[in-house]
């Protein structure tokens, strides 16, 4: 109440290996200087920063925007290790605040939101009060499918995979029909995504369907 927070989810900052990676990192770096607050999300089970974390810290060092370190998944580590894990990540940079949270169980999330509100400037609402995203439903559905593809085939199929949603139709039985086309770079990746007797494709569809049903509140095919 009394505040509106607009979250911008940037591409992950990483050492780019190809032109797409370079473009994604460019977008992320530009966004860092266009927002009021930066939340850097790390995971408690890692227990200590890795090379990737140190690389991100170097990128953040030159940004004057207030930075909050958010350590997620604290439900997966003993409470006695919180302080030590927090100290290791805190040593990476100059943070306005450090928040330990469990997004899964909601622990520490309210306190994080309160801190964000404190750091935001006064101004008008940018979006209607009941609006939770500015992304079209079709685009969100495509991303939910792509997310499952990357989750299930992360070691075999790179980020160069795209999903296109066709015309979504409501069927007479109340089922919503969502036609989705998956594009990959190479024939070998196509075989991986289909899997033996279509098992991988079925698993991708099954897991994505659960996410999309939660989004739309309808039964999905």
């Amino acid at each position: 109440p009394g505040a509106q927070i607009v979250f911008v989810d940037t591409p992950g900052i990483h050492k780019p290996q190809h032109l797409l990676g370079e473009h994604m990192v460019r977008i992320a770096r530009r966004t860092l200087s266009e927002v009021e607050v930066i939340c850097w999300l790390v995971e408690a089970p890692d227990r200590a920063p890795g090379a990737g974390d140190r690389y991100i810290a170097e990128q953040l060092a030159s940004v004057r925007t207030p930075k909050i370190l958010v350590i997620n998944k604290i439900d997966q580590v003993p409470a006695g290790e919180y302080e030590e894990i927090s100290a290791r990540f805190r040593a990476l940079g100059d943070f306005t605040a450090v928040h330990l949270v469990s997004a899964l169980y909601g622990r520490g999330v309210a306190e994080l939101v309160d801190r964000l509100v404190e750091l935001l400037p006064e101004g008008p609402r940018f979006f209607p009060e009941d609006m939770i995203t500015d992304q079209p439903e079709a685009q969100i559905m495509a991303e939910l499918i792509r997310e499952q593809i990357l989750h299930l085939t992360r070691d075999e199929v790179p980020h160069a995979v795209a999903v296109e949603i066709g015309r979504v139709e409501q069927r007479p039985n109340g089922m919503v029909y969502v036609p989705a086309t998956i594009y990959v770079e190479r024939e070998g990746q196509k075989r991986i995504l289909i899997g033996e007797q279509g098992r991988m494709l079925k698993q991708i569809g099954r897991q994505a369907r659960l996410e999309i049903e939660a989004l739309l509140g309808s039964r999905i095919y």
Side-chain angles (χ1 to χ4, degrees):
Q4 183 180 76
I5 306 173
V6 180
F7 288 96
V8 181
D9 186 16
T10 69
I13 294 178
H14 60 283
K15 287 186 178 179
Q17 305 294 326
H18 42 63
L19 288 174
L20 174 62
E22 289 178 12
H23 177 64
M24 291 167 69
V25 170
R26 234 182 352 257
I27 291 173
R29 284 178 178 152
R30 189 176 66 222
T31 305
L32 296 178
S33 60
E34 294 174 346
V35 295
E36 273 81 32
V37 188
I38 295 168
C39 283
W40 181 18
L41 191 66
V42 298
E43 297 187 351
D46 292 345
R47 285 180 165 76
D53 297 312
R54 287 189 286 274
Y55 177 76
I56 293 173
E58 290 171 8
Q59 307 305 308
L60 292 177
S62 59
V63 181
R64 295 185 179 180
T65 309
K67 295 176 278 283
I68 294 180
L69 177 66
V70 183
I71 304 176
N72 189 28
K73 300 186 179 181
I74 60 168
D75 54 283
Q76 295 184 19
V77 298
E81 295 185 22
Y82 288 179
E83 190 57 43
E84 187 177 348
I85 293 171
S86 181
R88 288 173 180 166
F89 281 100
R90 190 188 289 115
L92 289 177
D94 181 20
F95 299 103
T96 302
V98 178
H99 284 262
L100 282 74
V101 306
S102 168
L104 182 63
Y105 296 104
R107 286 161 55 189
V109 174
E111 292 81 359
L112 172 60
V113 170
D114 288 343
R115 181 63 61 105
L116 291 171
V117 171
E118 287 175 11
L119 293 169
L120 294 181
E122 291 188 4
R125 289 184 181 273
F126 288 99
F127 298 98
E129 197 166 344
D130 60 348
M131 185 174 177
I132 60 169
T133 178
D134 64 347
Q135 301 298 307
E137 280 184 348
Q139 185 171 333
I140 296 174
M141 287 190 285
E143 282 301 304
L144 289 173
I145 295 169
R146 184 171 182 270
E147 179 183 39
Q148 293 306 323
I149 293 169
L150 296 178
H151 176 66
L152 293 167
T153 65
R154 69 178 73 188
D155 296 326
E156 300 162 299
V157 177
H159 279 69
V161 58
V163 178
E164 184 178 46
I165 302 294
R167 183 178 177 184
V168 178
E169 296 179 349
Q170 179 96 31
R171 294 288 169 84
N173 62 359
M175 186 83 72
V176 176
Y177 178 73
V178 180
T181 304
I182 301 169
Y183 294 96
V184 291
E185 284 185 310
R186 296 190 296 276
E187 190 68 27
Q189 295 166 352
K190 182 178 175 181
R191 289 195 294 271
I192 290 168
L193 285 186
I194 294 172
E196 188 178 346
Q197 297 183 331
R199 289 197 187 100
M200 177 59 74
L201 197 60
K202 286 177 183 174
Q203 190 175 0
I204 291 167
R206 184 165 56 248
Q207 294 187 196
R209 178 174 54 78
L210 295 174
E211 299 280 348
I212 296 171
E213 285 182 343
L215 170 72
L216 298 183
S218 307
R219 292 174 63 223
I220 300 294
Y221 177 76

